Amino acid sequence: MTAKPAGLWFGGDYNPEQWDEKTWAADGELMRRARVNTATVGVFAWSLLEPEEGRYEFGWLDEVLDRLHRGGVRVILATPTASPPPWFTLAHPDAMPVTSAGTRLWHGSRDTYCAAAPAYRRAARRIAGELARRYAGHPALALWHVHNEYGTVCWCDHAAAAFRCWLRDRYGTGRRGLAALNDAWGTAFWSQRYSDWEQVLPPRATQWLPNPSQLLDYRRFWSAELLAALREQRDEIRLHTPSVPVTTNFMLPDYQVLDAWAWGSEIDVVAVDHYLDSPGPEGHADIAFCGDRARSWGDGRPWLLMEQAASLIYAGDRNLAKEPGRMLRDSMGYLARGSDSVLFFQWRASPAGAEMLHAAMVPHAGPDSRVFREVAELGRVVERLGEVAGSTVAAEAAVVWDADSAWAMENQRFTPAGLSYVAESRSWHGALWRAGVVSDFVPADGNLPRYRLVLAPALCLVSDDGIAALREYVAGGGHLVMWFFGAMADSRHHARLGGTPGGLLDVFGIRVEEFCPLPDGTRVALSNGESGAVWSERLRADGAEVVAGYADGPLAGLPAITRNAFGGGVAWYVSTRLDGDAADRLTARVLAGAGVRPVVAGAPPGLEAVRRHGDGGRSWLFVLNHTGHPCPVAASGTELLTGRAVTGLLEVAPGAVAVVREDGAGRA
């Protein structure tokens, strides 16, 4: 089951419960002006929908859905379970979240629940079921949105009991299961061996360093526990509306709580929230990073951009205004990479509350504002591009995305603070983006042969199945690049003995003997004139070609970057962090060796091009000019934003976008 798009979806979160009927009437007219065709309703409305346990007030929501339908607006109806009402907290204080330090949190914000608490799960199923029963068959209902941004973690006694159940399922019951658990967690270290299941607890705050294998299993468990909560609501909904697709929204860019591969297979369409955290070129690359992950988690199907910010960039300790025109260009970046929607949080800026200053399609200044005028123009553009809905994006390169490695890097305290899984993945995906190459993401044990080139940055933890898949991929002709401390540990977070990359020494033709992190702020020179930072490794080449060596310091004369032919393929290993131009030069060499071409040959830096493919051989070329000067690009067909014919060459103005429905001659 998939969301059936009638054109592209445009709109955002709509919270009429915050406004009076006069504003509702104004909203209808403004939505028509902006070409809004989609509204997400009910995300944080639990206290209004169920003001006391078991008593429901749906009249106001009936009116909202009816009014939206009359205005031609489809509804994404949310279950409001991310924000339980005060009566629930008072009745079930044990369902409030507890920190790893043992502090129980109080009501007064959102996400005030423990997902493992039975009372919360019952209440969540009940409200989801009541909503589905009430609105089954409503003509406005187009999609169910379960919960909002799953991810709240708890360490309470309910979580502990659920964790033990999950562990018994994973390792077995009784003494035999406990023995398997002790082995998996390496509990012989620091006298941690368990002799009874009741001794096993979540990894709460402790004296010094916690057990990394225990931490890893808790992250796996919590993703699974949240997924079980989603399944319960989804199944309640499907009892009453089996033909209406169901989704939930992943939070990006770097909120790494869920195993997205497992979640992507449980929902009908992947949806993401993405808030830019950089105003510069990194922000453009991060939109691609977001879009390529969302598309890949749904196995290449079109996905939905559920939330973005209309006018702000949330850059650390301050909010920065987007420059004029950026809202359109950013939105086209998501559409280019497979989104079938341009949705925002939220339609109208809240008059009060913790997110009063959050960006919105209708700002506090009202419709007579730059922001709303740009929203209305964007709505017209999205309407013109409706024909691309349902089309897909193809890639010849992929980046390995692995939740276990991300969690393992967070848990292991001996790697430098400057290293994070998301940052390393983002960096090397960005190198592909700068090279003009569209890439998918793939699990280490996934369908690797689909790609000519696979990058595996920061893949510190690899299961035995992953080792086998990587080996077979290279032997079968694939090109693989792995970075420092690659395949350091197995799926239990135990060190792979004998040197790294463990299980793949012959594939890479090297053996890493020692990790040599670099002092903060220092760099090490390489023999090819480049330099490395953050990390270095003492490795020896056992058959691999040395592409670059260390030129100074204690590793002078030893290999730093290697290339090895194995079977029909090639395996590269990079033992230090390359920044900027050095990363781009290596990427260009690797791409050329693998035969991976950019979407548009010869595109200048800062010109982004992506192609979507439809039925019957149709294709659309998206071009985004992130530079300050006009950029020409080879294209033939019809430019959809203007309707003009393009015959061989298209010039895109600075900061502008173009979408060309290609004729046969325009397809590379």
Side-chain angles (χ1 to χ4, degrees):
M1 186 192 311
T2 57
K4 301 292 193 296
L8 299 170
W9 297 24
F10 180 68
D13 280 41
Y14 181 43
N15 299 294
E17 64 270 23
Q18 300 177 15
W19 300 94
D20 57 23
E21 292 188 7
K22 180 180 178 180
T23 307
W24 290 9
D27 285 336
E29 173 57 28
L30 292 178
M31 286 183 181
R32 283 189 289 275
R33 283 173 54 185
R35 271 63 166 195
V36 165
N37 61 28
T38 306
T40 302
V41 177
V43 175
F44 294 116
W46 196 346
S47 63
L48 294 176
L49 293 169
E50 189 180 8
E52 59 185 54
E53 186 168 2
R55 181 171 69 84
Y56 303 99
E57 292 187 358
F58 290 127
W60 69 273
L61 188 56
D62 294 345
E63 185 176 349
V64 169
L65 266 62
D66 291 346
R67 179 169 46 84
L68 289 170
H69 179 63
R70 289 193 300 270
V73 178
R74 65 168 69 87
V75 169
I76 301 173
L77 187 55
T79 65
T81 52
S83 194
W87 63 257
F88 176 83
T89 301
L90 185 63
H92 305 284
D94 61 302
M96 292 294 285
V98 173
T99 69
S100 62
T103 301
R104 188 174 296 278
L105 302 180
W106 290 82
H107 195 93
S109 184
R110 54 184 278 186
D111 298 300
T112 50
Y113 63 88
C114 169
Y120 170 77
R121 296 278 278 272
R122 287 193 301 270
R125 288 195 303 271
R126 187 176 64 244
I127 188 66
E130 291 294 334
L131 283 166
R133 183 181 298 109
R134 179 81 175 193
Y135 297 105
H138 195 289
L141 179 61
L143 178 70
W144 284 103
H145 176 333
V146 174
H147 201 78
N148 182 69
E149 298 176 348
Y150 271 110
T152 301
V153 185
C154 181
W155 288 263
C156 73
D157 289 342
H158 291 306
F163 185 38
R164 287 190 288 270
C165 288
W166 182 87
L167 291 170
R168 289 187 184 99
D169 286 342
R170 184 176 181 86
Y171 295 108
T173 59
R175 291 290 177 183
R176 182 171 297 180
L178 199 59
L181 172 69
N182 279 309
D183 181 60
W185 287 6
T187 56
F189 184 77
W190 280 354
S191 187
Q192 293 179 358
R193 184 169 296 276
Y194 298 99
S195 58
D196 188 279
W197 278 103
E198 291 305 309
Q199 299 167 5
V200 181
L201 297 171
R204 293 166 174 161
T206 189
Q207 170 62 20
W208 193 38
L209 300 178
N211 184 320
S213 299
Q214 180 188 13
L215 284 167
L216 177 59
D217 263 353
Y218 198 72
R219 299 301 294 270
R220 291 165 170 161
F221 151 71
W222 198 254
S223 177
E225 187 72 9
L226 292 175
L227 184 55
L230 176 138
R231 287 195 194 105
E232 290 171 359
Q233 291 196 49
R234 179 201 64 191
D235 293 348
E236 285 285 339
I237 287 167
R238 286 180 175 170
L239 286 174
H240 306 286
T241 58
S243 63
V244 179
V246 178
T247 191
T248 190
N249 50 338
F250 299 145
M251 181 65 178
L252 298 177
D254 59 359
Y255 193 52
Q256 184 58 33
V257 176
L258 311 178
D259 178 358
W261 297 116
W263 283 65
S265 63
E266 295 283 352
I267 51 181
D268 297 313
V269 57
V270 168
V272 301
D273 298 351
H274 186 238
Y275 292 98
L276 290 180
D277 58 10
S278 171
E282 298 84 1
H284 306 312
D286 197 41
I287 289 173
F289 186 47
C290 160
D292 289 346
R293 282 185 291 167
R295 186 183 68 250
S296 301
W297 293 334
D299 196 27
R301 300 188 306 272
W303 53 281
L304 296 177
L305 175 66
M306 189 66 74
E307 295 182 22
Q308 64 166 324
S311 58
L312 293 177
I313 296 170
Y314 300 106
D317 62 349
R318 66 200 63 200
N319 298 338
L320 304 175
K322 291 183 180 179
E323 69 271 19
R326 175 137 191 188
M327 184 197 307
L328 171 63
R329 192 165 76 253
D330 287 352
S331 297
M332 292 302 103
Y334 299 111
L335 292 178
R337 292 179 185 264
S339 177
D340 272 356
S341 73
V342 176
L343 303 174
F344 294 86
F345 183 85
Q346 56 181 323
W347 164 250
R348 185 180 285 274
S350 297
E355 292 186 327
M356 180 174 61
L357 297 182
H358 198 291
M361 301 169 76
V362 182
H364 290 137
D368 186 14
S369 61
R370 176 188 70 85
V371 170
F372 184 75
R373 285 189 287 273
E374 289 199 20
V375 165
E377 173 58 24
L378 176 58
R380 288 188 284 271
V381 169
V382 171
E383 193 173 65
R384 293 187 194 115
L385 299 181
E387 66 186 63
V388 309
S391 61
T392 58
V393 178
E396 295 182 312
V399 180
V400 173
W401 183 263
D402 184 66
D404 281 354
S405 288
W407 294 331
M409 284 186 68
E410 289 180 9
N411 299 343
Q412 181 54 263
R413 306 295 179 88
F414 294 106
T415 55
L419 284 176
S420 84
Y421 181 83
V422 173
E424 295 304 307
S425 299
R426 191 175 183 175
S427 173
W428 286 99
H429 177 273
L432 294 175
W433 179 83
R434 290 189 296 276
V437 170
V438 174
S439 57
D440 286 343
F441 285 82
V442 65
D445 59 355
N447 186 8
L448 304 181
R450 179 189 300 179
Y451 307 100
R452 293 176 179 267
L453 172 66
V454 171
L455 306 186
L459 189 65
C460 62
L461 189 152
V462 189
S463 68
D464 290 345
D465 287 344
I467 292 292
L470 293 168
R471 171 180 294 275
E472 291 170 10
Y473 170 69
V474 179
H479 288 239
L480 173 66
V481 187
M482 183 173 277
W483 277 261
F484 40 88
F485 56 74
M488 174 188 72
D490 63 17
S491 60
R492 304 170 301 169
H493 204 170
H494 289 203
R496 289 189 176 275
L497 305 181
T500 58
L504 298 168
L505 300 181
D506 55 338
V507 175
F508 287 91
I510 63 168
R511 180 171 176 266
V512 176
E513 298 180 357
E514 184 181 359
F515 298 149
C516 305
L518 297 172
D520 188 33
T522 65
R523 305 190 66 83
V524 60
L526 305 183
S527 61
N528 60 359
E530 313 285 8
S531 65
V534 180
W535 193 267
S536 63
E537 294 177 340
R538 181 178 297 275
L539 67 85
R540 71 184 189 206
D542 290 336
E545 169 195 353
V546 178
V547 175
Y550 291 104
D552 63 9
L555 302 181
L558 296 179
I561 303 172
T562 60
R563 179 184 183 277
N564 189 55
F566 180 81
V570 174
W572 293 74
Y573 190 84
V574 184
S575 67
T576 188
R577 177 190 276 174
L578 303 177
D579 294 327
D581 293 342
D584 290 347
R585 282 188 284 270
L586 178 65
T587 300
R589 181 172 175 181
V590 169
L591 289 168
V596 177
R597 299 176 299 170
V599 174
V600 173
L607 186 75
E608 180 178 1
V610 185
R611 182 172 283 112
R612 289 185 67 156
H613 301 270
D615 296 334
R618 296 193 303 165
S619 63
W620 297 266
L621 180 66
F622 285 71
V623 184
L624 293 77
N625 186 355
H626 302 299
T627 76
H629 51 81
C631 287
V633 61
S636 294
T638 302
E639 203 287 308
L640 297 181
L641 276 62
T642 61
R644 72 179 187 271
V646 180
T647 55
L649 194 67
L650 171 70
E651 185 171 278
V652 184
V657 299
V659 182
V660 180
R661 181 204 300 129
E662 297 181 299
D663 59 28
R667 300 187 193 110

